[in-house]
């Protein structure tokens, strides 16, 4: 499966992703194909829409303290629903669909999430720390929301200016 990460300002990132109803081989193939893309690009989280698949799926692989990402720590969440949210935390987030930009974003500290695994089994998870932040970030993607939407308006304006400049430089380099 030839999947590619789509980048802001691609309008597809604004789509609301659709519920998964069939837990079939096609779903397994997509989830299997998303994993190497996330790992090869140093990602810790990836939602379906980031590879142009508007389905309610996300994967997460939080690194160990030494930075190693173990496949046994992989979470695959299908149709995730965040049920409880409490506390507040701030973390410098980045996104594979918004390259080269990192910013502190406020999130809930602890969340509960109900989801299904790739076979349709229902799961419940209470998450805090980086896992909680990453779930909230990826869950936003399913709603067409990007972390840059959560910036203050002045910070957002600064981002748009810097990002436009970066895209222009990238284009110039490509043409050279
Ligand atoms: C905290 C941190 C991240 C999340 C959501 C998931 N975001 C990511 O996994 C972002 C990964 C990322 C990787 C990059 O490295 C490469 O592309 C090689 C990167 O670097 C560049 O774009 C140049 C940016 C982001 C939630 C909470
Ligand atoms: Co993202």
């Amino acid at each position: 499966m030839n999947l590619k990460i789509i980048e802001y300002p691609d309008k597809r990132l604004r789509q609301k992703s659709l519920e998964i109803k069939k837990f079939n081989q096609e779903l397994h193939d997509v989830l299997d194909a998303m994993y190497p893309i996330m790992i090869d690009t140093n990602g810790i989280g990836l939602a379906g829409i980031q590879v142009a698949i508007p389905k309610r799926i996300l994967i997460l692989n939080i690194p160990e303290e030494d930075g190693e990402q173990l496949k046994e720590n992989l979470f695959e969440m299908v149709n995730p629903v965040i049920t409880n949210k409490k506390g507040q935390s701030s973390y410098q987030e980045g996104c594979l669909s918004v390259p080269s930009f990192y910013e502190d974003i406020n999130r809930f500290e602890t969340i509960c999430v109900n989801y299904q695994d790739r076979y349709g089994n229902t799961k419940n998870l209470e998450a805090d720390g980086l896992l909680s932040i990453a779930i909230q970030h990826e869950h936003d993607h399913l709603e067409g929301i990007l972390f840059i939407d959560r910036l203050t308006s002045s910070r957002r304006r600064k981002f748009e200016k810097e990002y436009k400049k970066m895209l222009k430089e990238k284009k110039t380099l490509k043409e050279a």
Side-chain angles (χ1 to χ4, degrees), residues 41-45 91-96 99-100 102 130 133-134 137-138:
T41 50
N42 292 330
I44 62 166
Y91 195 88
Q92 192 172 55
E93 297 186 18
C95 179
L96 290 170
S100 309
Y102 310 88
L130 186 52
I133 291 159
H137 176 114
E138 299 310 329

PDB file of all heavy atoms in Angstrom, residues 41-45 91-96 99-100 102 130 133-134 137-138, ligand 1:
ATOM      1  N   THR A  41       9.374   8.292   9.894  1.00  0.00           N
ATOM      2  CA  THR A  41       9.402   9.761   9.922  1.00  0.00           C
ATOM      3  C   THR A  41       9.546  10.283  11.356  1.00  0.00           C
ATOM      4  O   THR A  41       9.299  11.470  11.608  1.00  0.00           O
ATOM      5  CB  THR A  41       8.121  10.341   9.284  1.00  0.00           C
ATOM      6  OG1 THR A  41       6.987   9.687   9.870  1.00  0.00           O
ATOM      7  CG2 THR A  41       8.090  10.150   7.790  1.00  0.00           C
ATOM      8  N   ASN A  42       9.931   9.387  12.279  1.00  0.00           N
ATOM      9  CA  ASN A  42      10.134   9.767  13.691  1.00  0.00           C
ATOM     10  C   ASN A  42       8.865  10.259  14.363  1.00  0.00           C
ATOM     11  O   ASN A  42       8.915  11.133  15.241  1.00  0.00           O
ATOM     12  CB  ASN A  42      11.204  10.864  13.842  1.00  0.00           C
ATOM     13  CG  ASN A  42      12.575  10.372  13.490  1.00  0.00           C
ATOM     14  OD1 ASN A  42      12.862   9.187  13.658  1.00  0.00           O
ATOM     15  ND2 ASN A  42      13.419  11.242  12.973  1.00  0.00           N
ATOM     16  N   GLY A  43       7.733   9.708  13.946  1.00  0.00           N
ATOM     17  CA  GLY A  43       6.477  10.116  14.566  1.00  0.00           C
ATOM     18  C   GLY A  43       6.149   9.251  15.768  1.00  0.00           C
ATOM     19  O   GLY A  43       6.622   8.120  15.902  1.00  0.00           O
ATOM     20  N   ILE A  44       5.315   9.827  16.650  1.00  0.00           N
ATOM     21  CA  ILE A  44       4.823   9.024  17.780  1.00  0.00           C
ATOM     22  C   ILE A  44       3.319   8.785  17.649  1.00  0.00           C
ATOM     23  O   ILE A  44       2.755   7.980  18.369  1.00  0.00           O
ATOM     24  CB  ILE A  44       5.151   9.666  19.139  1.00  0.00           C
ATOM     25  CG1 ILE A  44       4.468  11.033  19.294  1.00  0.00           C
ATOM     26  CG2 ILE A  44       6.660   9.807  19.329  1.00  0.00           C
ATOM     27  CD1 ILE A  44       4.496  11.510  20.740  1.00  0.00           C
ATOM     28  N   GLY A  45       2.705   9.502  16.683  1.00  0.00           N
ATOM     29  CA  GLY A  45       1.276   9.326  16.474  1.00  0.00           C
ATOM     30  C   GLY A  45       0.911   9.658  15.038  1.00  0.00           C
ATOM     31  O   GLY A  45       1.552  10.504  14.412  1.00  0.00           O
ATOM     32  N   TYR A  91       2.374  21.018  26.576  1.00  0.00           N
ATOM     33  CA  TYR A  91       3.478  20.233  26.023  1.00  0.00           C
ATOM     34  C   TYR A  91       3.816  20.783  24.641  1.00  0.00           C
ATOM     35  O   TYR A  91       2.929  21.200  23.897  1.00  0.00           O
ATOM     36  CB  TYR A  91       3.061  18.765  25.922  1.00  0.00           C
ATOM     37  CG  TYR A  91       4.208  17.812  25.699  1.00  0.00           C
ATOM     38  CD1 TYR A  91       4.908  17.279  26.774  1.00  0.00           C
ATOM     39  CD2 TYR A  91       4.601  17.463  24.402  1.00  0.00           C
ATOM     40  CE1 TYR A  91       5.975  16.411  26.570  1.00  0.00           C
ATOM     41  CE2 TYR A  91       5.661  16.595  24.188  1.00  0.00           C
ATOM     42  CZ  TYR A  91       6.342  16.077  25.281  1.00  0.00           C
ATOM     43  OH  TYR A  91       7.394  15.221  25.073  1.00  0.00           O
ATOM     44  N   GLN A  92       5.103  20.738  24.309  1.00  0.00           N
ATOM     45  CA  GLN A  92       5.509  21.215  22.986  1.00  0.00           C
ATOM     46  C   GLN A  92       5.186  20.140  21.944  1.00  0.00           C
ATOM     47  O   GLN A  92       5.841  19.102  21.896  1.00  0.00           O
ATOM     48  CB  GLN A  92       6.991  21.542  22.967  1.00  0.00           C
ATOM     49  CG  GLN A  92       7.367  22.315  21.715  1.00  0.00           C
ATOM     50  CD  GLN A  92       8.793  22.811  21.761  1.00  0.00           C
ATOM     51  OE1 GLN A  92       9.709  22.019  21.961  1.00  0.00           O
ATOM     52  NE2 GLN A  92       8.995  24.084  21.559  1.00  0.00           N
ATOM     53  N   GLU A  93       4.171  20.418  21.136  1.00  0.00           N
ATOM     54  CA  GLU A  93       3.707  19.427  20.161  1.00  0.00           C
ATOM     55  C   GLU A  93       4.263  19.699  18.774  1.00  0.00           C
ATOM     56  O   GLU A  93       4.597  20.828  18.426  1.00  0.00           O
ATOM     57  CB  GLU A  93       2.167  19.441  20.090  1.00  0.00           C
ATOM     58  CG  GLU A  93       1.528  19.051  21.400  1.00  0.00           C
ATOM     59  CD  GLU A  93       0.016  18.904  21.316  1.00  0.00           C
ATOM     60  OE1 GLU A  93      -0.533  18.768  20.198  1.00  0.00           O
ATOM     61  OE2 GLU A  93      -0.609  18.914  22.385  1.00  0.00           O
ATOM     62  N   GLY A  94       4.352  18.634  18.014  1.00  0.00           N
ATOM     63  CA  GLY A  94       4.689  18.728  16.606  1.00  0.00           C
ATOM     64  C   GLY A  94       3.752  17.802  15.851  1.00  0.00           C
ATOM     65  O   GLY A  94       3.030  17.016  16.465  1.00  0.00           O
ATOM     66  N   CYS A  95       3.736  17.899  14.540  1.00  0.00           N
ATOM     67  CA  CYS A  95       2.802  17.085  13.749  1.00  0.00           C
ATOM     68  C   CYS A  95       3.457  16.743  12.423  1.00  0.00           C
ATOM     69  O   CYS A  95       4.025  17.629  11.765  1.00  0.00           O
ATOM     70  CB  CYS A  95       1.516  17.877  13.515  1.00  0.00           C
ATOM     71  SG  CYS A  95       0.301  17.009  12.523  1.00  0.00           S
ATOM     72  N   LEU A  96       3.354  15.501  12.022  1.00  0.00           N
ATOM     73  CA  LEU A  96       3.962  15.085  10.754  1.00  0.00           C
ATOM     74  C   LEU A  96       3.323  15.813   9.567  1.00  0.00           C
ATOM     75  O   LEU A  96       3.946  15.921   8.516  1.00  0.00           O
ATOM     76  CB  LEU A  96       3.831  13.573  10.581  1.00  0.00           C
ATOM     77  CG  LEU A  96       4.702  12.732  11.537  1.00  0.00           C
ATOM     78  CD1 LEU A  96       4.320  11.257  11.448  1.00  0.00           C
ATOM     79  CD2 LEU A  96       6.183  12.917  11.233  1.00  0.00           C
ATOM     80  N   PRO A  99       5.162  20.050   9.138  1.00  0.00           N
ATOM     81  CA  PRO A  99       6.588  19.827   9.407  1.00  0.00           C
ATOM     82  C   PRO A  99       7.320  21.079   9.887  1.00  0.00           C
ATOM     83  O   PRO A  99       6.961  22.192   9.520  1.00  0.00           O
ATOM     84  CB  PRO A  99       7.142  19.350   8.058  1.00  0.00           C
ATOM     85  CG  PRO A  99       6.139  19.730   7.041  1.00  0.00           C
ATOM     86  CD  PRO A  99       4.813  19.768   7.734  1.00  0.00           C
ATOM     87  N   SER A 100       8.318  20.827  10.721  1.00  0.00           N
ATOM     88  CA  SER A 100       9.248  21.872  11.200  1.00  0.00           C
ATOM     89  C   SER A 100       8.618  22.914  12.100  1.00  0.00           C
ATOM     90  O   SER A 100       9.140  24.018  12.214  1.00  0.00           O
ATOM     91  CB  SER A 100       9.931  22.590  10.023  1.00  0.00           C
ATOM     92  OG  SER A 100      10.491  21.668   9.138  1.00  0.00           O
ATOM     93  N   TYR A 102       6.878  23.487  16.001  1.00  0.00           N
ATOM     94  CA  TYR A 102       6.597  22.918  17.322  1.00  0.00           C
ATOM     95  C   TYR A 102       6.106  24.049  18.210  1.00  0.00           C
ATOM     96  O   TYR A 102       6.660  25.142  18.184  1.00  0.00           O
ATOM     97  CB  TYR A 102       7.870  22.301  17.932  1.00  0.00           C
ATOM     98  CG  TYR A 102       8.570  21.367  16.981  1.00  0.00           C
ATOM     99  CD1 TYR A 102       9.517  21.864  16.072  1.00  0.00           C
ATOM    100  CD2 TYR A 102       8.277  20.008  16.941  1.00  0.00           C
ATOM    101  CE1 TYR A 102      10.141  21.022  15.157  1.00  0.00           C
ATOM    102  CE2 TYR A 102       8.892  19.162  16.039  1.00  0.00           C
ATOM    103  CZ  TYR A 102       9.823  19.674  15.148  1.00  0.00           C
ATOM    104  OH  TYR A 102      10.433  18.854  14.241  1.00  0.00           O
ATOM    105  N   LEU A 130       2.439  11.894  28.202  1.00  0.00           N
ATOM    106  CA  LEU A 130       2.561  12.061  26.749  1.00  0.00           C
ATOM    107  C   LEU A 130       1.511  11.252  25.987  1.00  0.00           C
ATOM    108  O   LEU A 130       1.026  11.689  24.934  1.00  0.00           O
ATOM    109  CB  LEU A 130       3.990  11.674  26.313  1.00  0.00           C
ATOM    110  CG  LEU A 130       4.352  11.919  24.858  1.00  0.00           C
ATOM    111  CD1 LEU A 130       4.056  13.354  24.431  1.00  0.00           C
ATOM    112  CD2 LEU A 130       5.822  11.590  24.606  1.00  0.00           C
ATOM    113  N   ILE A 133      -1.648  13.282  25.848  1.00  0.00           N
ATOM    114  CA  ILE A 133      -1.494  14.417  24.911  1.00  0.00           C
ATOM    115  C   ILE A 133      -1.571  13.931  23.466  1.00  0.00           C
ATOM    116  O   ILE A 133      -2.262  14.507  22.627  1.00  0.00           O
ATOM    117  CB  ILE A 133      -0.156  15.145  25.194  1.00  0.00           C
ATOM    118  CG1 ILE A 133      -0.243  15.870  26.545  1.00  0.00           C
ATOM    119  CG2 ILE A 133       0.193  16.122  24.083  1.00  0.00           C
ATOM    120  CD1 ILE A 133       1.092  16.194  27.159  1.00  0.00           C
ATOM    121  N   ALA A 134      -0.871  12.830  23.195  1.00  0.00           N
ATOM    122  CA  ALA A 134      -0.844  12.302  21.825  1.00  0.00           C
ATOM    123  C   ALA A 134      -2.232  11.815  21.389  1.00  0.00           C
ATOM    124  O   ALA A 134      -2.638  12.033  20.239  1.00  0.00           O
ATOM    125  CB  ALA A 134       0.193  11.179  21.718  1.00  0.00           C
ATOM    126  N   HIS A 137      -4.218  14.909  20.551  1.00  0.00           N
ATOM    127  CA  HIS A 137      -3.728  15.475  19.279  1.00  0.00           C
ATOM    128  C   HIS A 137      -4.276  14.663  18.097  1.00  0.00           C
ATOM    129  O   HIS A 137      -4.798  15.229  17.127  1.00  0.00           O
ATOM    130  CB  HIS A 137      -2.193  15.454  19.302  1.00  0.00           C
ATOM    131  CG  HIS A 137      -1.543  15.918  18.035  1.00  0.00           C
ATOM    132  ND1 HIS A 137      -0.778  17.063  17.955  1.00  0.00           N
ATOM    133  CD2 HIS A 137      -1.523  15.381  16.779  1.00  0.00           C
ATOM    134  CE1 HIS A 137      -0.336  17.218  16.724  1.00  0.00           C
ATOM    135  NE2 HIS A 137      -0.772  16.195  15.982  1.00  0.00           N
ATOM    136  N   GLU A 138      -4.154  13.337  18.182  1.00  0.00           N
ATOM    137  CA  GLU A 138      -4.601  12.487  17.056  1.00  0.00           C
ATOM    138  C   GLU A 138      -6.120  12.484  16.942  1.00  0.00           C
ATOM    139  O   GLU A 138      -6.662  12.455  15.829  1.00  0.00           O
ATOM    140  CB  GLU A 138      -4.070  11.055  17.223  1.00  0.00           C
ATOM    141  CG  GLU A 138      -2.547  10.922  17.245  1.00  0.00           C
ATOM    142  CD  GLU A 138      -1.842  11.621  16.091  1.00  0.00           C
ATOM    143  OE1 GLU A 138      -2.419  11.713  14.993  1.00  0.00           O
ATOM    144  OE2 GLU A 138      -0.719  12.112  16.303  1.00  0.00           O
TER     145      GLU A 138
HETATM  146  C1  LIG B   1       3.459  15.538  21.511  1.00  0.00           C
HETATM  147  C2  LIG B   1       4.198  15.360  20.437  1.00  0.00           C
HETATM  148  C3  LIG B   1       3.597  14.893  19.289  1.00  0.00           C
HETATM  149  C4  LIG B   1       2.265  14.582  19.247  1.00  0.00           C
HETATM  150  C5  LIG B   1       1.536  14.066  18.049  1.00  0.00           C
HETATM  151  C6  LIG B   1       2.279  13.239  17.117  1.00  0.00           C
HETATM  152  N1  LIG B   1       3.237  14.017  16.408  1.00  0.00           N
HETATM  153  C7  LIG B   1       4.338  13.480  15.827  1.00  0.00           C
HETATM  154  O1  LIG B   1       4.498  12.292  15.879  1.00  0.00           O
HETATM  155  C8  LIG B   1       5.254  14.420  15.167  1.00  0.00           C
HETATM  156  C9  LIG B   1       6.376  14.001  14.620  1.00  0.00           C
HETATM  157  C10 LIG B   1       7.315  14.846  13.918  1.00  0.00           C
HETATM  158  C11 LIG B   1       8.472  14.256  13.367  1.00  0.00           C
HETATM  159  C12 LIG B   1       9.391  14.993  12.662  1.00  0.00           C
HETATM  160  O2  LIG B   1      10.525  14.410  12.159  1.00  0.00           O
HETATM  161  C13 LIG B   1      10.588  14.045  10.812  1.00  0.00           C
HETATM  162  O3  LIG B   1       9.698  14.325  10.060  1.00  0.00           O
HETATM  163  C14 LIG B   1      11.763  13.273  10.406  1.00  0.00           C
HETATM  164  C15 LIG B   1       9.204  16.330  12.496  1.00  0.00           C
HETATM  165  O4  LIG B   1      10.255  17.010  11.849  1.00  0.00           O
HETATM  166  C16 LIG B   1      10.066  17.806  10.772  1.00  0.00           C
HETATM  167  O5  LIG B   1       8.980  18.012  10.376  1.00  0.00           O
HETATM  168  C17 LIG B   1      11.256  18.390  10.140  1.00  0.00           C
HETATM  169  C18 LIG B   1       8.075  16.946  13.016  1.00  0.00           C
HETATM  170  C19 LIG B   1       7.132  16.198  13.721  1.00  0.00           C
HETATM  171  C20 LIG B   1       1.557  14.820  20.349  1.00  0.00           C
HETATM  172  C21 LIG B   1       2.161  15.262  21.453  1.00  0.00           C
END
